[in-house]
Amino acid sequence: MFGFLKKKLKESIDKISNVIKPKEEIPIEKVEELIEEVKEEEKEIEKIVKKPKHKIKEKVKEELKKVGIIEKIKKAVVEKKISEDDLKDVLWDLQISLIESDVAVEVAEKIVSDLKDSLIGKSVKKKEIEKIVKDSLEKSILDILDVDSLDLLERVKTKKPFLIVFLGFNGSGKTTTIARIGYMLKNNGLKCVFAAGDSWRAAAIEQLEEHGKKLGIEVIKQKYGSDPAAVIFDAVKHAKSKDINVVLADTAGRSHANINLVDELKKVCRVNKPDLKILVLDALTGNDIYDQCKMFNNAVGVDALIITKADVYDKGGAALSASHTINKPTLYFGVGQKYEDLEKFDSKKIVNNLLS
Ligand code: GDP
């Protein structure tokens, strides 16, 4: 998963690490500076050995001098103060690589700027630089992914029936996700019902019915073309009368003749007051994910995200920055076509995978 982004990050880490060359030449001013320092040190040593109580032998004196100069030269060869100029090209390459991997521009800029802050002006040893770069990337990515999350299984127990409305464009994996969430809730001892709120697509109603049949979950529907707000209202009423825990409602994913998608979703929410609105996003749409997040969030307010097709999405960046775009948590990744192919979003796991 996310192999492309992982590869790009690795290439950048290698490039940045090479900012310090193993055999970097010592500039002449540095050598002069060192000689001055050693002279000062020699004077100090002379002062000490002249005192009678310090009976330091000639050999020890020599050793002390040697250690001083060797240590200093070693330091100058392997340690380097990093300047903005050293990093200009490699940081630009990193920014381009991140954007190529679908990372949102503002997120890419944050990653690069954090990295710059942790390197410029610092005296860094060759063998330490890779760790500093990795630590900085880890911290930035964790910051980006650090959006107040919620535990779906716990949240749905706070009310009965608990209504979840699923939003998202056609083909994003909404129906499949509803079925997976139903499967997960059922396995956790919670009763659910599906509401066929995408009443403008006969195929969507049929698809939900098919999942319902396989999973043993009832589907509340009305005839093709009926008002989605009314279908969901019915499902909630049904759930109340049957002591059902959760209503999982599908919605339309595109505009229909004379009916605006946004108006329809607003009506669904106004009439039914969902307890949670989950936006389902197809990772393969890449950068378009950000516009989708903003569009649905502006229309009705999104509480959380589920990103599908993460199993076939190599670039990775959209999954990394979708939550950050609207400051709403990603709860799960869809990682295949089976009911159990739902993976809980775990920021530490993502970072470890990307930087390992
Ligand atoms: P909807 O139009 O939003 O309801 O989308 P569907 O649920 O019908 O999904 C569209 C297609 O994406 C179907 O062929 C699904 O099997 C497929 N799909 C959904 N989620 C995933 C996933 O996580 N991974 C993969 N590989 N395919 C998925």
Side-chain angles (χ1 to χ4, degrees), residues 98-113:
L98 291 170
I99 293 168
E100 258 176 22
S101 314
D102 290 344
V103 172
V105 174
E106 80 245 34
V107 170
E109 280 169 0
K110 175 189 161 42
I111 293 175
V112 170
S113 143

Side-chain angles (χ1 to χ4, degrees), residues 169-177 180 201 207 308-312 334-337 341:
F169 285 138
N170 287 348
S172 63
K174 226 172 337 115
T175 319
T176 312
T177 301
R180 283 173 181 157
R201 270 196 311 161
Q207 206 186 337
T308 63
K309 309 183 197 179
D311 53 317
V312 282
V335 289
Q337 312 243 13
D341 288 336

